Amino acid sequence: MVVTPAFPGRSGAQDVRRTSAGLLAGIEHDAGSSGFVLGPGQREAAERLAGFGAEVTHRRRARRLSPRPPRSIYLHGPVGRGKTWLMDSFHDRLHVRTRRVHFHDFFRSLHRGAHAPLAHGNASAIQQSVDALLADVDVLFFDEFHVHDVGDGMFIARLLQSAARHGVPLVVTSNYAPDELLPNPLWHDHFLPTIQAIKSMMDIVEVGGPTDFRRFPPAGSKPGAVPGTFSSGRIITPGTASQLGKLGLFRPPAGTARIITPTTQPIVVKNSDPDVLWVSFAALCEGLTSTADYLALASGFETWVVDDVPSPGNSDPSAAAAWQRFSNAVDVLHDQDRRLFLIGEGPLDWDEAGAARAQPADLARIASRLSLLGRSEGGAVSGNDAAGS
C-alpha cells in the first residue's frame, strides 16, 4: 500500500501519488541493495515517509507555502530496528532543501551560538541559533531525539515552537515514544506540554520487531549497513602487550603525554600521534568534558584508544556522570564513524550492566552500538587480526 498524503485541492494529486510511489520504491531498492527486505514495521514507516516526502516535494515545486506545513514524522522504537537507516535512505532520495542533525550536534550548535554576538534585533543568541538551523530548509531531519535533562527539554520546546513558526516540518528518530521522554518523575510533568505538542504536530510511527539488527544483521546483508570504520574497533581485555601488538597497538611511552584543549576543557592524552587519540577513561570521562569536546576531537582523530576502562558493572552511583559522558562519546564516535578501541581489565560487558545504578538511561542503545565492535579476550581476537594502529 502506498500512502497518499492529504494535500489541499485536487490539482497535482497524480504527481503526488507518483512521487510517493517512487520514494517508497527507492527505499525498498536501498534495502534490497543492502541485502534485506523491509519488515512490517519498517515498511509502514517507509510508506509514511514516502507520503510525507511527496507532499513536501509538491509543496516545494508549487512554491506554495501554506500556513499549515505537512505533519512531521516521529519514528520511534527499540535500538537497532532500522530507524536511522530508513531516515537516511529517505533523506538521500528527497529532492528538496534539507538539513540533517544529530542530537549532540544540535546542542553543540546551540551552545556555540549562545557565546556568539547577537546578529540582529532583540532575539536571544539561542533563538538566533535555532532560527539559523531552520533557515532555508524545507525539512529538518533530527536523529537520536531524546530528553533526559530539563534544560535540554527547554531547548527542544523552543525548537518545536520555532519549527511551527517557520513552517518547517521535521523527521525525527528516537528510542523513546513521546510519553517516555524526560522520564525523571521530578521533571516529567514540566515536559508534558511539549509532549502534547509533539503528538499534535507529528505522526507517531513505531518501528518495532523482536530483532536488534545491529547485533543480528539479516542473512545476506552487506557490511555497508553499519558504520564501517566504527565497527572495525575492538573491546580488549585485559589489554596485554601481546593482545595490543596483534592489533597494531602499542602503549605510548610516558614522555609522549600532552595536554590538548578541544573546546574549553584541557584533556591529558597519552600520545602525540596526529591521527590516533590515546586517552584514559578517567581523563576522557571523569572531568568536566562535554559532548562539544568529543565532537571537536572526533573531527581531528580517526582512531580513538581509551584505556583503563572500568567494568560497567560498577554500581557506585558516584560514577554515573562519568558513564553518561562515556555514553555521549560512544554516540558521537558511532555517528561520526570513528574507530574505537576500549581497553580494560574487564569484564567489559554492557549487556550485563543493566542493574548497575551508575549506568546511563540510554544503556540499551550504547550496548547495541558497542556490540558492533570485535573482541579480544585473554589473547583471542575476534574479527580481523589487525584493525588499526
Side-chain angles (χ1 to χ4, degrees), residues 45-368:
E47 290 173 350
R48 295 289 190 95
L49 289 170
F52 167 87
E55 188 169 348
V56 170
T57 301
H58 186 80
R59 185 171 183 251
R60 175 68 176 165
R61 287 174 179 170
R63 301 183 183 276
R64 188 191 312 184
L65 297 179
S66 66
R68 295 183 61 186
R71 286 178 60 81
S72 298
I73 303 288
Y74 186 103
L75 303 179
H76 75 94
V79 298
R81 268 58 177 184
K83 301 180 295 296
T84 296
W85 183 93
L86 284 164
M87 185 184 77
D88 288 344
S89 173
F90 172 64
H91 173 272
D92 292 346
R93 292 181 174 277
L94 187 62
H95 300 302
V96 298
R97 302 173 303 171
T98 65
R99 179 169 292 125
R100 183 193 187 281
V101 296
H102 186 273
F103 178 86
H104 294 306
D105 284 320
F106 169 67
F107 284 100
R108 178 174 67 163
S109 69
L110 290 190
H111 290 299
R112 184 170 55 225
H115 297 93
L118 294 179
H120 53 77
N122 296 320
S124 70
I126 292 293
Q127 185 61 54
Q128 290 186 14
S129 295
V130 173
D131 290 343
L133 189 68
L134 296 166
D136 301 320
V137 297
D138 299 306
V139 184
L140 178 67
F141 289 78
F142 198 125
D143 194 24
E144 298 289 1
F145 188 96
H146 60 275
V147 184
H148 297 310
D149 176 84
V150 66
D152 291 350
M154 294 172 63
F155 287 140
I156 291 295
R158 181 170 295 193
L159 171 66
L160 296 179
Q161 293 165 3
S162 299
R165 187 175 69 254
H166 285 267
V168 176
L170 284 68
V171 175
V172 172
T173 70
S174 178
N175 294 329
Y176 300 89
D179 288 327
E180 297 170 348
L181 295 169
L182 194 56
N184 189 324
L186 294 175
W187 302 109
H188 183 75
D189 286 350
H190 297 273
F191 197 63
L192 288 177
T194 303
I195 291 174
Q196 187 57 46
I198 291 172
K199 293 178 177 179
S200 298
M201 66 186 293
M202 299 188 184
D203 287 338
I204 313 301
V205 183
E206 182 176 6
V207 183
T211 303
D212 179 346
F213 292 109
R214 286 200 193 107
R215 297 174 183 268
F216 308 105
S221 61
K222 298 179 181 180
V226 298
T229 301
F230 181 84
S231 62
S232 69
R234 294 289 185 274
I235 298 172
I236 308 166
T237 57
T240 64
S242 175
Q243 283 179 298
L244 298 181
K246 290 179 180 178
L247 296 170
L249 299 172
F250 304 94
R251 291 188 184 274
T256 61
R258 59 189 173 120
I259 297 176
I260 59 176
T261 306
T263 58
T264 60
Q265 296 298 319
I267 301 174
V268 178
V269 300
K270 296 186 175 184
N271 66 327
S272 57
D273 192 308
D275 300 316
V276 178
L277 177 73
W278 194 306
V279 63
S280 70
F281 178 91
L284 188 68
C285 303
E286 293 180 2
L288 297 177
T289 48
S290 68
T291 301
D293 292 305
Y294 304 144
L295 285 161
L297 290 170
S299 68
F301 295 97
E302 177 79 11
T303 298
W304 290 37
V305 183
V306 183
D307 64 10
D308 300 327
V309 178
S311 173
N314 181 1
S315 61
D316 183 359
S318 66
W323 282 115
Q324 184 60 59
R325 292 188 187 96
F326 174 80
S327 171
N328 295 342
V330 171
D331 269 342
V332 167
L333 295 176
H334 179 274
D335 189 59
Q336 301 291 323
D337 197 18
R338 297 293 184 258
R339 183 178 292 106
L340 173 63
F341 294 95
L342 299 175
I343 306 171
E345 289 293 327
L348 299 183
D349 191 340
W350 280 265
D351 287 318
E352 301 297 328
R357 290 177 292 166
Q359 290 300 306
D362 290 317
L363 176 62
R365 183 177 76 248
I366 300 309
S368 176

